[in-house]
């Protein structure tokens, strides 16, 4: 039997009829929804209350989807021919999704008995789902380190010690300043720029068993020596266990099972990295990762790697510092081209396509090249 809804006023009665049939088959979710519909006999009120119940299962995003779908279903009933089995089928599918994604994983996480997992492993499991489609751009950049090496040695003779990592941090700060459309975040479908150029650097702890983050604020307004000093101080505090924010975060992550930690990371990350809220009790400050996140793997002998985005960090650019190796390159001198061997640094980047296109990317990478080609001028603080 097929029923055609001809007006929006008929929809609550049609929905109640199908919900009654579903309740007769002892469907728990249908029973709950039926009580809501009978209470106010309003489809809009039922949608709102159903969304509230789902929120209790940590299912806010799914609730929004159901609310939007129901609203569309409610506003244009004359255009939809309803088959009597569809509402029951939809409720069944919805129930399976809630149970599979939001009830069983936390229960299994609480009941898990097995090998001890490091905090880093728990964060990895709680951060990423199965690989899917996303708008990511992967790029590789080879930088001639000839002038950079000369600069490092010259400053070392002056008693100022800097490393390649410090220079990459400064180069990325210059690049973000030159392309302000990259330095920001997407909130509610709109690009919102950051007020400052902040860069974060991952710090290896416990021989690589764990990672922590050190953020450099206003990196574009600092010279490479200030960046090196701040990064070294923060790294020392992380290594000796005196960083209060990291300790608070670590204790929270150690306590929570992965099924719960997944929701905590993503929701707190959205509030802190998207909206800019502070969670001092958790050791999370506003925009904790800034506009770019940098990691170095060159010291481990890895030439290059493409780092995936950390969803809750909400940064548009992730840079990986690889090895430095002698490579043959073509250089031009006095109008003549010749092949010579130069030390070349491999940088790889993962970029959010929502923030950048080819033109902006070319401009940003040109700024990075110029920083390493002219360190005497580019490694200084900008106004």
């Amino acid at each position: 039997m097929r029923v055609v809804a001809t007006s929006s006023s008929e929809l609550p009665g049609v929905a109640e009829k199908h919900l009654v049939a579903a309740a007769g088959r002892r469907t728990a979710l249908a029973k709950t929804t039926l009580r809501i519909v009978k209470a106010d006999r309003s489809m809009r009120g039922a949608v709102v209350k159903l969304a509230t119940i789902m929120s209790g299962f940590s299912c806010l995003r799914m609730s929004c989807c159901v609310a939007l779908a129901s609203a569309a279903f409610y506003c244009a009933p004359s255009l939809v021919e309803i088959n009597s089995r569809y509402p029951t089928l939809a409720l069944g599918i919805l129930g399976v999704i809630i149970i599979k994604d939001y009830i069983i994983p936390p229960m299994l996480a609480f009941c898990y008995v097995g090998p001890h997992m490091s905090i880093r492993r728990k964060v990895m499991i709680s951060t990423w789902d199965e690989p899917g489609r996303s708008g990511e751009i992967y790029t590789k950049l080879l930088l001639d380190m000839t002038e950079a090496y000369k600069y490092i040695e010259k400053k070392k003779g002056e008693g100022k010690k800097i490393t390649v990592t410090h220079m990459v941090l400064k180069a990325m700060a210059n690049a973000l300043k030159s392309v302000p459309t990259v330095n920001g975040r997407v909130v509610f479908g709109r690009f919102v720029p950051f007020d400052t150029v902040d860069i974060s650097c991952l710090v290896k702890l416990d021989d690589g068993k764990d990672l922590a983050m050190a953020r450099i604020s206003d990196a574009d307004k600092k010279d490479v020596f200030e960046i090196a000093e701040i990064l070294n101080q923060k790294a020392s505090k992380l290594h000796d266990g005196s960083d209060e924010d990291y300790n608070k975060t670590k204790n929270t992550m150690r306590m929570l099972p992965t099924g719960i930690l997944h929701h905590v990371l993503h929701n707190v990350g959205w509030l802190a990295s998207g909206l800019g809220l502070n969670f001092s009790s958790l050791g999370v400050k506003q925009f904790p990762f800034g506009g770019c996140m940098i990691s170095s793997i060159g010291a481990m002998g890895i030439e290059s790697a493409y780092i995936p985005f950390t969803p809750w960090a909400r940064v548009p650019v992730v840079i990986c510092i690889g090895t430095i190796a002698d490579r043959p390159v073509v250089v031009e001198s006095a109008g003549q081209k010749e092949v010579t061997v130069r030390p070349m640094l491999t940088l790889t980047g993962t970029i959010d396509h929502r923030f950048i296109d080819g033109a902006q990317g070319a401009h940003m990478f040109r700024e990075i090249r110029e920083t390493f080609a002219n360190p005497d001028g580019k490694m200084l603080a900008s106004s």
Side-chain angles (χ1 to χ4, degrees):
M1 177 179 178
R2 302 178 68 83
V3 180
V4 179
T6 57
S7 66
S8 60
S9 61
E10 296 179 15
L11 191 57
V14 173
E16 182 177 353
K17 174 181 177 182
H18 296 305
L19 292 173
V20 169
R25 292 192 292 271
R26 306 295 183 184
T27 304
L29 183 59
K31 280 186 174 182
T32 303
T33 311
L34 176 61
R35 286 196 293 270
I36 296 172
V37 176
K38 283 186 174 180
D40 53 16
R41 306 188 65 81
S42 167
M43 182 59 73
R44 289 179 181 174
V47 167
V48 172
K49 291 185 178 180
L50 180 59
T52 303
I53 291 174
M54 289 180 181
S55 298
F57 291 108
S58 299
C59 190
L60 181 58
R61 279 179 289 184
M62 185 178 294
S63 304
C64 294
C65 293
V66 173
L68 289 173
S70 301
F73 183 73
Y74 179 72
C75 295
S78 60
L79 302 178
V80 181
E81 191 176 46
I82 308 171
N83 190 294
S84 60
R85 67 176 180 273
Y86 285 173
T88 302
L89 180 62
L91 287 173
I93 294 174
L94 183 60
V96 170
I97 293 173
I98 293 176
I99 293 171
K100 179 180 74 72
D101 292 340
Y102 296 94
I103 296 180
I104 293 179
M107 291 176 63
L108 292 177
F110 274 118
C111 299
Y112 173 78
V113 177
H116 172 71
M117 289 192 296
S118 66
I119 294 176
R120 177 61 183 163
R121 176 64 61 182
K122 291 174 67 175
V123 171
M124 291 165 65
I125 294 174
S126 303
T127 297
W128 290 288
D129 296 321
E130 296 85 355
R133 297 179 180 178
S134 58
E136 297 176 359
I137 300 174
Y138 301 97
T139 183
K140 177 184 285 188
L141 189 64
L142 293 177
L143 296 174
D144 188 342
M145 295 296 292
T146 303
E147 296 301 322
Y149 274 168
K150 293 178 182 178
Y151 184 76
I152 291 174
E153 289 300 318
K154 182 176 72 173
K155 295 303 177 183
K156 184 178 180 180
E158 298 174 3
K160 299 177 180 179
K161 184 179 179 181
I162 57 173
T163 66
V164 173
T165 298
H166 302 142
M167 297 184 73
V168 172
L169 284 166
K170 179 58 182 175
M172 285 308 305
N174 293 343
L176 286 185
K177 183 180 180 181
S178 68
V179 187
T181 56
V182 180
N183 186 39
R185 74 274 189 198
V186 174
V187 183
F188 299 121
R190 296 177 62 89
F191 171 79
V192 181
F194 288 128
D195 295 328
T196 59
V197 177
D198 301 343
I199 306 289
S200 61
C201 184
L202 294 179
V203 179
K204 182 175 68 173
L205 302 177
D206 298 331
D207 294 326
K209 296 179 182 178
D210 203 358
L211 288 175
M213 181 275 304
R215 187 185 69 175
I216 312 296
S217 301
D218 290 311
D220 60 315
K221 297 179 181 179
K222 295 178 171 65
D223 61 35
V224 69
F225 310 107
E226 293 177 275
I227 291 175
E229 182 179 359
I230 294 172
L231 181 60
N232 292 339
Q233 289 176 354
K234 292 191 173 187
S236 296
K237 291 179 67 177
L238 289 167
H239 283 292
D240 62 27
S242 61
D243 189 295
E244 294 182 3
D245 289 335
Y246 175 70
N247 291 335
K248 291 178 182 178
T249 304
K250 182 174 66 174
N251 292 335
T252 302
M253 291 189 294
R254 180 185 290 116
M255 178 181 62
L256 296 176
T258 55
I260 301 300
L261 184 59
H262 171 85
H263 297 286
V264 172
L265 286 174
H266 284 261
N267 287 289
V268 172
W270 181 74
L271 293 171
S273 299
L275 301 184
L277 301 181
N278 282 306
F279 294 89
S280 56
S281 60
L282 299 177
V284 179
K285 297 180 179 179
Q286 64 173 356
F287 310 127
F289 295 91
C292 176
M293 187 162 58
I294 295 176
S295 179
S296 178
I297 61 172
M300 296 181 281
I302 302 175
E303 178 183 315
S304 63
Y306 296 94
I307 302 177
F309 282 118
T310 303
W312 39 267
R314 306 179 75 85
V315 294
V317 181
V318 180
I319 297 296
C320 184
I321 305 174
T323 56
I324 299 175
D326 290 336
R327 297 175 184 271
V329 295
V330 177
V331 296
E332 186 172 351
S333 178
Q336 299 292 324
K337 292 182 179 181
E338 61 179 0
V339 178
T340 185
V341 176
R342 295 286 180 89
M344 304 296 290
L345 169 66
T346 302
L347 285 186
T348 53
T350 307
I351 306 173
D352 191 332
H353 203 348
R354 298 175 299 172
F355 293 80
I356 196 171
D357 259 324
Q360 295 95 335
H363 186 88
M364 189 168 69
F365 297 138
R366 184 164 57 249
E367 180 64 32
I368 296 172
R369 287 188 185 278
E370 291 177 0
T371 299
F372 277 86
N374 180 28
D376 283 301
K378 292 289 187 175
M379 290 295 163
L380 302 177
S382 62
S383 57

